[in-house]
């Protein structure tokens, strides 16, 4: 998974679908590092990649599509949606993008869904096993695996110890504001915890802090679930009084 915050719906659909089908999801945290993408693809022997090609890096010009083209130059010779044949990543066969512009050798997310009644398909979704590895998370030089049971336990623990209060009092009728990276074990477990307990969430389509904060009063949210990096950002003095009240 290599999508951005504007593709949170596609991200969650892909992760939930993968888990249901018994497919392991691979994530990594250094998203602006081409070497980190190379390590995640190579070490995991991933068979597929879902990404947001036009997401820009800090330099304002390089994109995730640039990274992928550098790592897989064979893409430039392929037709749209062709099976990938990469010498560097022999296991990688399918690449899907969450956007709409054409990208050689890449499928569009909106085109890969097949809506077929059971009577017309021989495919069956396997039963998810508790010990099946659902996620492999690369965090810097470290790699950790999470099973289906791990994710369920994490989601249940979040609900029992923290998130259950979102169904009570002043939080009961407003969505949980959730500016989390959904490609982290915490972000996905938090979403799983809230959605499985029928609690509405609002996921902003950006990590730009000033834009995110403008969404809080519009949603009326009184409860926020966020990553540690966002939690530790110091509020500019000029805005402190405004957001302290929120």
């Amino acid at each position: 998974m290599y999508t951005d915050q504007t593709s949170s719906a596609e991200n969650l659909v892909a992760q939930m679908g993968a888990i249901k089908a018994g497919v392991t999801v691979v994530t990594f945290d250094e998203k602006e590092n081409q070497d980190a993408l190379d390590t995640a693809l190579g070490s995991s022997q991933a068979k597929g990649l879902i990404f947001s090609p036009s997401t820009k890096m800090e330099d304002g010009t390089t994109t995730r599509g640039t990274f992928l083209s550098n790592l897989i130059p064979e893409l430039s010779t392929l037709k749209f949606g062709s099976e990938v044949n990469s010498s560097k990543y022999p296991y990688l066969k399918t690449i899907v993008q969450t956007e709409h512009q054409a990208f050689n050798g890449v499928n569009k997310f909106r085109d890969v869904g097949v809506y077929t009644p059971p009577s017309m398909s021989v495919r069956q979704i396997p039963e998810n096993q508790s010990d099946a590895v659902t996620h492999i998370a690369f965090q810097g030089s470290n790699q950790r695996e999470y099973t289906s049971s791990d994710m369920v336990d994490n989601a249940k623990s979040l609900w029992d110890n923290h998130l259950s209060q979102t169904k009570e009092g002043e939080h009961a009728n407003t969505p949980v504001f959730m500016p989390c990276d959904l490609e982290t074990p915490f972000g996905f477990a938090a979403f799983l915890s809230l959605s499985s307990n029928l609690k509405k969430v609002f996921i902003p389509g950006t990590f730009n802090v000033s834009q995110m904060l403008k969404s809080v009063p519009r949603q009326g949210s009184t409860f926020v679930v966020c990553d540690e990096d966002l939690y530790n950002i110091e509020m500019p003095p000029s805005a402190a009084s405004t957001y302290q009240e929120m």
Side-chain angles (χ1 to χ4, degrees), residues 108-126:
K108 294 180 181 179
F109 190 92
R110 66 179 185 181
D111 295 335
V112 297
V114 178
Y115 303 93
T116 306
S119 60
M120 298 178 62
S121 175
V122 297
R123 295 183 179 274
Q124 293 184 338
I125 296 177

Side-chain angles (χ1 to χ4, degrees), residues 162-163 165-166 171 174-178 194 220-225:
H162 305 286
L163 300 181
Q165 62 184 292
T166 64
H171 311 305
T174 59
V176 173
F177 192 72
M178 195 172 148
L194 291 163
S221 298
T222 57
F223 198 99
V224 178
V225 178

